[in-house]
Amino acid sequence: MAHTATVTTIEPGELKQRLADDELTIIDVRTPAEFESVHIRGSYNVPLPLLSEHTHDLADRLGGRVVLVCQSGVRAGQAQDRLSSVGVSSAEVLAGGISAFESAGGTVVRGAQRWAMDRQVRMVAGSLVLAGFVGSKVIHPRVGILAGAIGAGLTYSALSNSCAMAAALSRMPWNRTEVSPTYENTIRSIPVAPQAVTAQAA
């Protein structure tokens, strides 16, 4: 049976107050392009696929105060579930994601602006469904199969809690950054928290 964890959240206002805490580690699980567009100062970008691949390695570096960030909270919730499955039970998800944090007056760092991944997925999926519908009316009824295929894909995405379209879009030229995240330049760059060192020694 798949492991499921109860999502523990932290409100944007509370995170603002806790940012002065030197022991707080903020992990942003969005794509590098999303992170480059806007992120919380001092946060570490560990995209969800990389976190999923190296969950144990990341867990070995984390202490007791960890906040997981994404665009809306969905991917951060998945990351929390992964970490919980390897014993990190104290990680919290930023409620409402980076957007809510910024709306609450939180200070963010801005770079090259791109659409958030969930917005890109909605745009592409909506455009394909519309194209399938219009095509079925003006070209051939079978073109409508495209709309059905997209609907089936979105249903599977919800059931499996994954998104093949987002994975494909993340590889598009406009979503690429100069430095691609790897284990070495992301997870290894996160300082080992004192609590993690104590736990490893025990």
Side-chain angles (χ1 to χ4, degrees), residues 156-192:
Y156 175 78
S157 174
L159 291 172
S160 64
N161 206 17
S162 63
C163 187
M165 187 178 291
L169 285 170
S170 68
R171 297 183 178 89
M172 294 295 104
W174 59 85
N175 283 323
R176 291 178 185 163
T177 54
E178 289 185 12
V179 180
S180 298
T182 65
Y183 169 73
E184 294 294 333
N185 65 19
T186 55
I187 294 175
R188 287 289 297 272
S189 69
I190 300 173
V192 179

Side-chain angles (χ1 to χ4, degrees), residues 5-22:
T6 302
V7 176
T8 305
T9 60
I10 177 173
E11 294 300 318
E14 184 181 349
L15 178 59
K16 280 174 55 183
Q17 295 175 356
R18 287 174 54 185
L19 280 177
D21 186 348
D22 292 335

Side-chain angles (χ1 to χ4, degrees), residues 1-200:
M1 182 184 229
H3 175 80
T4 338
T6 302
V7 176
T8 305
T9 60
I10 177 173
E11 294 300 318
E14 184 181 349
L15 178 59
K16 280 174 55 183
Q17 295 175 356
R18 287 174 54 185
L19 280 177
D21 186 348
D22 292 335
E23 296 181 2
L24 181 66
T25 303
I26 303 175
I27 305 293
D28 191 318
V29 301
R30 295 175 299 153
T31 66
E34 290 175 291
F35 183 81
E36 186 179 88
S37 295
V38 57
H39 63 269
I40 299 171
R41 187 180 302 279
S43 59
Y44 298 93
N45 184 212
V46 184
L48 184 59
L50 192 66
L51 182 147
S52 300
E53 185 180 352
H54 298 284
T55 308
H56 283 279
D57 298 308
L58 177 60
D60 287 343
R61 309 184 79 82
L62 299 177
R65 298 177 180 176
V66 180
V67 175
L68 301 165
V69 178
C70 68
Q71 189 64 32
S72 62
V74 175
R75 282 173 284 178
Q78 295 174 31
Q80 185 187 56
D81 190 41
R82 297 272 187 180
L83 289 170
S84 179
S85 71
V86 297
V88 179
S89 58
S90 58
E92 299 172 293
V93 170
L94 175 60
I98 189 76
S99 301
F101 180 77
E102 189 173 9
S103 297
T107 303
V108 295
V109 178
R110 291 193 169 277
Q113 294 304 295
R114 301 174 178 88
W115 280 11
M117 187 54 65
D118 59 345
R119 186 180 181 189
Q120 293 185 44
V121 168
R122 291 197 304 270
M123 180 65 180
V124 173
S127 298
L128 290 174
V129 169
L130 180 61
F133 174 76
V134 173
S136 70
K137 301 295 182 183
V138 302
I139 301 175
H140 193 281
R142 289 186 179 175
V143 179
I145 294 174
L146 175 63
I150 296 300
L154 292 174
T155 301
Y156 175 78
S157 174
L159 291 172
S160 64
N161 206 17
S162 63
C163 187
M165 187 178 291
L169 285 170
S170 68
R171 297 183 178 89
M172 294 295 104
W174 59 85
N175 283 323
R176 291 178 185 163
T177 54
E178 289 185 12
V179 180
S180 298
T182 65
Y183 169 73
E184 294 294 333
N185 65 19
T186 55
I187 294 175
R188 287 289 297 272
S189 69
I190 300 173
V192 179
Q195 300 97 318
V197 174
T198 303
Q200 290 170 20

